[in-house]
Amino acid sequence: SCLPMHLANDLRNLIKILYASRRDGGVGFSTVDLNNTGNNRISPEGWMTSYGLNPNGIPYKNTREDMIRDGRSSYQILGRVEMLLYDWMANTYPEFLATIRKDNEHAFGTKRPPYLMNGKMISPRMVISSRLGNEAHIDFGDNGPSFVVWLAENPEEDVHDWRFIFQSLQSTVNDVTRDTTSVQLFHGMVAIYDGRYIRHATSISDTNRGNRWGVFHG
């Protein structure tokens, strides 16, 4: 599936501020703030950032206070990203939204991250990847199915090398069966899958191009 283009663009513009330097209009997150997720990969490329609550229900360091600079607020940005995606899921995939919320209620109870707007939440943790590349893996620590949106800083750029790979998902096309499924990513693309059971990976895209983000909830 894919987001409406106006929604994908709104999300891209919000996330771009989180990853920008202070000089370029960012809210002031450090490299450590933006690369705080130890994903147990052997040699990952790019960054993975966790916002919201860690598995113990405690806010990550980058979520404990609102980063504000030149009228831009990390809480406002994160809260709006969460709200926009929540509203889209509620209208498009309400059954999956309910499943993800229920799975997280078992893990977190009533705890909520401080950046929520109007109480709208998919999950207490949001993970954003930046230029991510890693080997196939299973996410044993996930609470349930994952909902992911991919966004490109420059959607007009060539994205042929940007792919999401399901290593253990068999597919058949024109009577040819393959043991691995490779999905072409693009700006605004959406996927829902269960990373606890399906081995998956993200290809490494050309670093000379604009940033590419994945926004994960699950």
Side-chain angles (χ1 to χ4, degrees):
S1 183
C2 60
L3 301 178
M5 190 54 60
H6 69 87
L7 177 54
N9 290 341
D10 286 348
L11 291 166
R12 174 199 60 200
N13 294 337
L14 289 167
I15 291 172
K16 188 174 180 179
I17 297 171
L18 292 178
Y19 283 84
S21 65
R22 285 180 177 268
R23 179 183 60 191
D24 294 329
V27 295
F29 281 133
S30 68
T31 300
V32 174
D33 291 329
L34 294 175
N35 195 21
N36 67 347
T37 300
N39 57 11
N40 298 318
R41 309 295 175 256
I42 296 173
S43 56
E45 297 289 338
W47 291 352
M48 290 192 75
T49 314
S50 290
Y51 301 97
L53 305 184
N54 69 23
N56 296 318
I58 300 170
Y60 288 98
K61 183 180 177 182
N62 60 17
T63 311
R64 292 174 192 167
E65 62 178 291
D66 192 4
M67 300 290 288
I68 301 174
R69 182 173 176 83
D70 297 333
R72 296 181 175 92
S73 156
S74 63
Y75 279 12
Q76 289 181 359
I77 293 170
L78 291 168
R80 183 152 179 78
V81 169
E82 188 78 10
M83 182 180 69
L84 289 173
L85 289 174
Y86 175 95
D87 286 343
W88 184 82
M89 276 204 81
N91 288 322
T92 312
Y93 294 110
E95 68 283 6
F96 285 109
L97 174 61
T99 297
I100 292 173
R101 286 172 59 87
K102 185 176 181 179
D103 289 338
N104 279 278
E105 284 175 5
H106 289 156
F108 291 95
T110 60
K111 295 179 180 178
R112 300 289 184 267
Y115 52 73
L116 291 187
M117 289 184 174
N118 303 320
K120 293 183 176 181
M121 181 189 73
I122 301 172
S123 62
R125 182 177 74 151
M126 178 187 344
V127 179
I128 301 178
S129 66
S130 172
R131 299 185 189 276
L132 180 65
N134 54 20
E135 79 276 10
H137 61 279
I138 295 287
D139 289 317
F140 295 104
D142 285 1
N143 295 314
S146 293
F147 161 65
V148 190
V149 173
W150 285 276
L151 304 164
E153 184 175 9
N154 300 317
E156 302 304 318
E157 288 182 333
D158 181 11
V159 294
H160 75 277
D161 58 353
W162 190 27
R163 292 180 174 271
F164 196 61
I165 300 159
F166 294 104
Q167 187 185 44
S168 54
L169 183 62
Q170 192 176 82
S171 63
T172 301
V173 179
N174 296 328
D175 296 325
V176 176
T177 299
R178 297 177 174 85
D179 292 329
T180 297
T181 299
S182 175
V183 180
Q184 174 69 64
L185 300 180
F186 55 87
H187 181 57
M189 181 178 162
V190 173
I192 297 173
Y193 65 98
D194 199 326
R196 298 170 300 174
Y197 304 107
I198 302 175
R199 295 183 66 83
H200 55 282
T202 308
S203 66
I204 302 170
S205 54
D206 191 333
T207 57
N208 292 324
R209 302 187 186 126
N211 208 332
R212 296 172 189 181
W213 297 285
V215 184
F216 297 72
H217 288 83

